[in-house]
């Protein structure tokens, strides 16, 4: 009981966060990378313009970068998940530093992207209809804050109303059809521009992250936080589909020679807490049971082929209460340290 | 001829830009401001979720802020125009520093926003269809880079292919219907959160910028770069509509008592070059002829009522070649200095 009481007190007074330590930036800015151009047939008339003869630039990504003093050679590219933008990595919903600033302090140049057809990279070569989709409660469950409206005991989330409001307002829609190949093309173009780098992916970005590494030898390592889909396997070694209370998770086949590329770089995957070992009817939890299981098979498939993949299930290391948003949980500093330790161990800080 | 030759040489070697001078930041981060919540009737079922009983957060803005050492008390809120996001104020299309960083160096805290229903603030309570709209050539003309495919002589734009590519990729669509009142509500909520501030608006943001000042007494001044629509006038003193080759510009009526608010703060409006005095069939230019004319009437209307509005038509001060994107033109440092001088003169640097 004492521990629970202490935790409650700590969260009650968690805000405002500690003062920001001054940070010297030796470069910052933004640009677009990748993308395509489509053109409407016909001739452009400057003084009576229609779409005829005009072009449209789309399917690129947007990147905002910052460089700290004496930066490590390899930058980190932070890639948000579904319904999110680069904001995932900035200030946490409860107002504390996110990974963007935390890893600047740890000596890393940071690139925070909005993937193609999301956020500031909204131009899509294919049309989309955007409907206001009331998913707040589903997100609360699926991101393992708790079982709406109750938070999980000990969950690493500030439980104030404004924190939840900020979280829900970090949601932003796709502005074109979701297409992992287009996303990977754009991120590969980013890597072409900036040179060798490490990807830090969240959730849905896991899959297009693997695809980017397959496309581009300058992806030197991947940190994947709670990948949720897009587990690619050699087409001759596909695992069984995995049914769950949240639907069936299927692996995705790729040529065996493409899979080899994933055995050539260090990869680490992190999952948080409240993921059951056994099937449950609690949809929000069961969704992650099969993803964690699939991730275990995936890591094995890589390591059996001579690769270097690690799965970190944080509760097994005594780090409890982690949600789907490990990078903005109350203990995100601890998670950042864990990742920084892995980067050090794999010589990716050099 | 000598001058033209020198200019051509200068632009040919304009890139890469001067080295970035290190910058110490004493705070940075992001958050959402304003917005509404809608709720679908019914009861939420955690394990078989539909939209029933779920909420949706939308119509907020997104803000990214940075605070320099020894910051001036009043921050600047940078508000992009149509088809743009906060990226308007970051790195220029040709890779140089934009106003975000330039004004940090001049001692200002900067808030760079994505307005409601745009960019990272994409969640809209009303649906939208997004089509890829091939407008690149129209933009080139309308933003006064030139008459496609020719640039204007002496225009303040780097004419490399990659610069134009970056510019076209700064375009991003609305993710909901355009509604100036919703935009002003969100920005007013931002001001409520951050306290007294100066708005720096671009183009389409001019109109919702005036509305924000009317709503919120903590808007202490406005710098409007090339406002393009939303010129509000007292409903009993409306100017005539202004036809042009690009359509008819109409003023927008507001209650006289609301207009008074605009006489209580210093306001400056900037326009660039290649805006004709007389009607022309060149659509891209004629569009701005009527806007500059309307801005002149607007400034007069404010000053006749005891206000303090200034219109700076840059060529009249010998500053030539300015496009619609004054904040990212080749001489954007000169424009920043001009604005900083106005802020000083109006005691808005205090």
């Amino acid at each position: 009981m004492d521990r629970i009481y202490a935790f409650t007190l700590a969260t009650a007074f968690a805000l405002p966060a500690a003062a920001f330590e001054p940070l010297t930036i030796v470069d910052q800015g933004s640009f677009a990378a990748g993308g395509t151009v489509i053109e409407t047939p016909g001739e452009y008339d400057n003084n009576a313009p229609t779409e005829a003869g005009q072009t449209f630039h789309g399917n690129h990504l947007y990147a905002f970068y910052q460089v700290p003093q004496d930066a490590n050679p390899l930058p980190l590219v932070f890639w948000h998940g579904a319904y999110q933008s680069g904001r995932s990595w900035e200030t946490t919903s409860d107002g504390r530093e996110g990974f963007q600033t935390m890893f600047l302090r740890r000596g890393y140049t940071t690139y925070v992207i909005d993937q193609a057809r999301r956020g500031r990279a909204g131009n899509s070569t294919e049309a989309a209809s955007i409907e206001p989709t009331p998913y707040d409660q589903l997100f609360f469950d699926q991101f393992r804050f708790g079982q709406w409206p109750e938070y999980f005991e000990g969950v690493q989330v500030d439980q104030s109303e404004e924190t939840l409001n900020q979280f829900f307002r970090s949601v932003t829609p796709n502005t074109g059809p979701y297409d992992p190949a287009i996303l990977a093309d754009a991120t590969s173009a980013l890597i072409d521009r900036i040179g060798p780098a490490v990807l830090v992916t969240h959730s849905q970005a896991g899959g297009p992250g693997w695809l980017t590494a397959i496309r581009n030898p300058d992806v030197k390592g991947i940190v994947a936080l709670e990948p949720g889909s897009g587990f690619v396997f050699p087409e001759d070694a596909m695992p069984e589909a995995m049914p769950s209370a949240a639907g069936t998770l299927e692996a995705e086949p790729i040529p065996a020679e493409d899979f080899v590329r994933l055995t050539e770089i260090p990869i680490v995957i992190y999952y948080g807490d409240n993921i059951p070992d056994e099937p449950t009817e609690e949809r929000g939890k069961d969704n992650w049971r099969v993803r964690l299981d699939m991730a275990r098979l995936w890591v094995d498939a890589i390591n059996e082929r001579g690769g270097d993949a690690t799965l970190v299930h944080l509760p097994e290391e005594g780090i409890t209460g982690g949600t789907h948003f490990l990078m903005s949980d109350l203990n995100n500093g601890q998670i950042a340290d864990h990742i920084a330790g892995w980067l050090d161990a794999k010589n990716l800080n050099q």
Side-chain angles (χ1 to χ4, degrees), chain A residues 191-208:
Chain A
I191 303 292
D192 284 342
R193 175 170 167 154
I194 70 177
V198 175
L199 298 182
V200 184
T201 65
H202 180 230
S203 191
Q204 190 186 59

Side-chain angles (χ1 to χ4, degrees), chain A residues 252-275:
Chain A
E252 298 186 10
I254 59 171
E257 61 267 31
D258 283 356
F259 191 81
V260 168
R261 165 66 187 143
L262 299 174
T263 68
E264 296 170 350
I265 54 172
I267 297 174
V268 64
I269 299 180
Y270 287 85
Y271 284 96
D273 205 348
N274 293 300
I275 302 176

Side-chain angles (χ1 to χ4, degrees), chain A residues 240-250 279 286 289-290:
Chain A
E240 300 281 319
M242 296 183 174
S244 82
T248 297
L249 178 64
E250 299 200 50
D286 212 45
R289 176 182 59 79
V290 291

Side-chain angles (χ1 to χ4, degrees), chain A residues 324-335:
Chain A
H324 183 53
F325 281 72
L326 296 168
M327 65 283 209
S328 44
D329 280 349
L330 287 170
N331 63 337
N332 63 342
Q334 186 179 26
I335 305 300

Side-chain angles (χ1 to χ4, degrees), chain A residues 2-349:
Chain A
D2 274 352
R3 252 180 48 201
I4 293 165
Y5 179 67
F7 178 82
T8 305
L9 255 187
T11 50
F13 296 97
L15 308 178
F20 191 95
E21 289 294 318
L23 186 62
T24 297
I25 300 295
V26 302
D27 201 0
Q28 70 174 15
S30 64
F31 57 86
T36 53
V37 181
I38 57 176
E39 182 165 5
T40 311
E43 192 173 347
Y44 174 64
D45 181 340
N46 301 75
N47 296 335
T50 64
E51 293 190 0
Q54 293 206 64
T55 57
F56 173 87
H57 287 60
N59 299 1
H60 49 270
L61 62 70
Y62 159 88
F64 181 79
Y65 66 92
Q66 293 184 297
V67 184
Q69 283 183 311
D70 306 317
N72 301 336
L74 290 176
L76 303 181
V77 174
F78 290 96
W79 192 344
H80 59 79
Y83 293 101
Q84 289 281 309
S85 70
R87 197 194 155 196
S88 289
W89 310 99
E90 296 173 349
T91 305
T92 63
S93 295
D94 58 14
R96 293 170 302 106
E97 281 183 28
F99 274 16
Q100 176 184 46
T101 299
M102 281 186 171
F103 279 92
L104 285 169
R105 297 196 190 285
R106 286 164 175 79
Y108 288 93
T109 294
T110 61
Y111 288 83
V112 175
I113 70 171
D114 289 356
Q115 73 185 19
R117 304 179 174 180
R118 188 82 58 81
R120 291 175 168 179
N123 263 8
S124 163
T125 57
E126 293 177 71
S129 285
I130 301 182
E131 300 282 338
T133 42
Y135 281 174
D136 287 346
Q137 285 66 29
L138 183 155
F139 288 151
F140 185 96
D141 289 350
Q142 182 132 330
F143 299 153
R144 304 196 320 281
F145 295 177
Q147 177 90 336
W148 178 268
E150 299 299 326
Y151 287 86
F152 291 137
E153 188 175 309
V155 73
Q156 297 280 0
V157 178
D158 172 68
Q159 296 175 25
S160 73
E161 199 175 325
E162 174 58 9
T163 293
L164 194 59
N165 177 58
Q166 286 290 326
F167 177 76
F168 287 145
R169 296 187 186 285
S170 70
V171 172
T172 201
N174 279 323
T175 55
Y178 178 77
D179 184 334
I182 284 177
L183 304 186
D185 283 344
T187 308
S188 183
L190 170 70
I191 303 292
D192 284 342
R193 175 170 167 154
I194 70 177
V198 175
L199 298 182
V200 184
T201 65
H202 180 230
S203 191
Q204 190 186 59
W210 322 133
L211 298 182
T212 305
I214 290 167
R215 278 166 170 69
N216 200 314
D218 275 340
V219 174
K220 296 302 185 190
I222 302 180
V223 178
L225 304 182
E226 297 227 337
S229 57
F231 289 97
V232 293
F233 281 80
E235 56 197 355
D236 58 358
M238 293 290 288
E240 300 281 319
M242 296 183 174
S244 82
T248 297
L249 178 64
E250 299 200 50
E252 298 186 10
I254 59 171
E257 61 267 31
D258 283 356
F259 191 81
V260 168
R261 165 66 187 143
L262 299 174
T263 68
E264 296 170 350
I265 54 172
I267 297 174
V268 64
I269 299 180
Y270 287 85
Y271 284 96
D273 205 348
N274 293 300
I275 302 176
D277 291 324
E278 299 298 325
T280 164
E281 288 180 358
E282 287 183 49
R283 184 182 180 283
K285 286 182 172 178
D286 212 45
N287 179 70
W288 296 103
R289 176 182 59 79
V290 291
R291 282 159 174 78
L292 177 54
D293 281 349
M294 186 69 84
R296 288 190 177 111
L297 296 184
W298 192 80
V299 162
D300 288 346
I302 286 179
N303 292 337
E304 284 163 9
R305 288 163 179 78
D308 175 12
T310 304
L311 192 148
V312 179
H313 186 203
L314 289 163
E316 295 171 24
E317 303 201 4
I319 301 175
T320 59
T323 74
H324 183 53
F325 281 72
L326 296 168
M327 65 283 209
S328 44
D329 280 349
L330 287 170
N331 63 337
N332 63 342
Q334 186 179 26
I335 305 300
D337 284 339
H338 201 292
I339 293 169
W342 181 85
L343 292 167
D344 289 352
K346 302 302 176 184
N347 296 317
L348 294 171
N349 61 337

